[in-house]
Amino acid sequence: MTMTKVKGTSVSVLILALMMWALAANTVKAQMITSSNQVIDCGQVLFRKPVTVHFELTNQGKGNAVIKNVETSCGCMNVIYPKGMISENKPFIVTATYDAKLMGHFEKYIDIYTNEASLPFTLTMKGVVVAETKDYEGQYPYVLGKLKTDRTEIAFDDVDKGDHPVQEIHVLNSTSETVTPLVMNLPDFIKADVSPSTLAPGKPGIIYLTLNSDKLQHLGLVQNTAYLGLKRGDRMNADNAFDITTILLPNFGIVTDQQLVYMPKLKISETTLDLGTFEGKKKKKGTINIENLGRTDLEIYAIQSFTEGLTIEMNDPVIQPGMSEKLRITADKKMLKGVKAQPKVLLITNDPRSPKVIIDVNVK
């Protein structure tokens, strides 16, 4: 095959060079608009009372940016944005107003087209339009950081694989400044949404924590510590920390009475183990008997302690029909000294009647 030459360079090399130049040009045109509040939740909005939000954006490109066009997801919104050049690394504001003429939840989008990219940068404004606003009527007995809250512990109990349960934390801005609460250090299977996104002094809000159980890999107990901040960059320390516990159970689906007859059946000698007092001893030991009264093998999928200071032993986690196993629990005085919570042991089993068993351990 004959290759045409152009000043000693093949056409194929020229084409490759042109393709690489085009790719480099596309890279330069990559979207460099960023925002610290790309999604704003307005919380409760009064019917026919327009609500306005301010999105804080920055041009992080290498050169001036120009907003060529702005499109909204409906005609119910009005948007104000800079019309001239936006200098490199310069922050700017996009203001959006929703007319609130429809009752119920809303989620509206603003697409910003610049000279930096062919794809738009999308902002989201959401909330719920109500006839009258209703604040949380409960108490805020706790403090996380500088926000008052109604709780400092979150428990996702008895979660089946595929469930997406939601827990709420009610917060009150007791500071003299407007804050933007955020939850830090969350595991990837929990998402946090704050409504409204911004809290003025003395105003309440709600943190919605949504668990995606599909991302949990193992049955049983998962414990995490998250932190509540007032703004991005806040530190994580004991003052703004709260605990999240999740217990994932086996999903048996629908089990009929006929099926139950042939399934394992757990019988436990006690669910409260009284070890008494240490009385000068470093450790106290106790035993619980677990028996299988069913017709198929009883499997103990997980054996876990909610706190430090307990050692748990079991020879065989699979118990055949008519057989039993000893669960040995040892309490360590030194390790339990700083534990404030009730020492507990968790069992996860394949018995649909008792998929979760909690054993309280009493020791002084």
Side-chain angles (χ1 to χ4, degrees), residues 33 93 182 225 275 312 341:
I33 297 296
I93 301 293
L182 72 160
T225 300
L275 298 180
I312 311 155

Side-chain angles (χ1 to χ4, degrees), residues 205-225:
I206 304 176
I207 300 172
Y208 297 96
L209 297 171
T210 304
L211 171 71
N212 182 357
S213 63
D214 292 320
K215 291 188 175 182
L216 290 171
Q217 301 300 316
H218 304 288
L219 296 172
L221 176 69
V222 180
Q223 295 175 305
N224 300 95
T225 300

Side-chain angles (χ1 to χ4, degrees), residues 43-196:
Q44 299 179 76
V45 177
L46 283 174
F47 181 53
R48 293 186 179 277
K49 296 290 184 180
V51 58
T52 299
V53 297
H54 304 282
F55 294 94
E56 301 172 0
L57 298 94
T58 304
N59 171 25
Q60 292 190 342
K62 295 182 178 180
N64 295 333
V66 177
I67 298 178
K68 299 189 298 182
N69 189 30
V70 171
E71 296 180 356
T72 61
S73 56
C74 76
C76 53
M77 300 187 72
N78 181 52
V79 181
I80 300 174
Y81 59 93
K83 298 297 194 296
M85 290 284 189
I86 303 169
S87 302
E88 179 180 339
N89 293 323
K90 181 180 179 180
F92 61 98
I93 301 293
V94 171
T95 301
T97 300
Y98 173 60
D99 62 19
K101 291 182 178 179
L102 290 176
M103 296 285 288
H105 289 272
F106 67 90
E107 187 164 325
K108 306 300 178 182
Y109 305 98
I110 305 163
D111 287 337
I112 300 176
Y113 292 87
T114 71
N115 62 323
E116 292 187 324
S118 56
L119 296 176
F121 185 81
T122 301
L123 303 171
T124 303
M125 179 181 182
K126 62 182 183 178
V128 56
V129 179
V130 296
E132 61 177 328
T133 57
K134 294 182 180 180
D135 290 337
Y136 174 62
E137 296 180 354
Q139 301 297 312
Y140 301 92
Y142 306 104
V143 176
L144 288 177
K146 295 182 179 180
L147 295 181
K148 291 185 177 181
T149 71
D150 66 330
R151 59 201 299 193
T152 57
E153 295 180 356
I154 296 294
F156 291 99
D157 286 331
D158 302 346
V159 177
D160 289 333
K161 195 79 167 178
D163 286 353
H164 294 79
V166 179
Q167 293 282 347
E168 298 178 3
I169 303 177
H170 293 88
V171 298
L172 179 68
N173 180 10
S174 55
T175 74
S176 59
E177 300 178 354
T178 297
V179 299
T180 305
L182 72 160
V183 182
M184 304 174 289
N185 199 49
L186 278 176
D188 64 351
F189 54 85
I190 297 179
K191 183 184 75 169
D193 293 296
V194 182
S195 177

Side-chain angles (χ1 to χ4, degrees), residues 3 42 105 145 188 191 203 284 290 297 315 324 353:
M3 183 67 72
C42 304
H105 289 272
D188 64 351
K191 183 184 75 169
K203 293 297 182 180
K284 291 285 288 187
I290 298 176
D297 288 351
N315 289 337
S324 63
R353 308 172 194 82

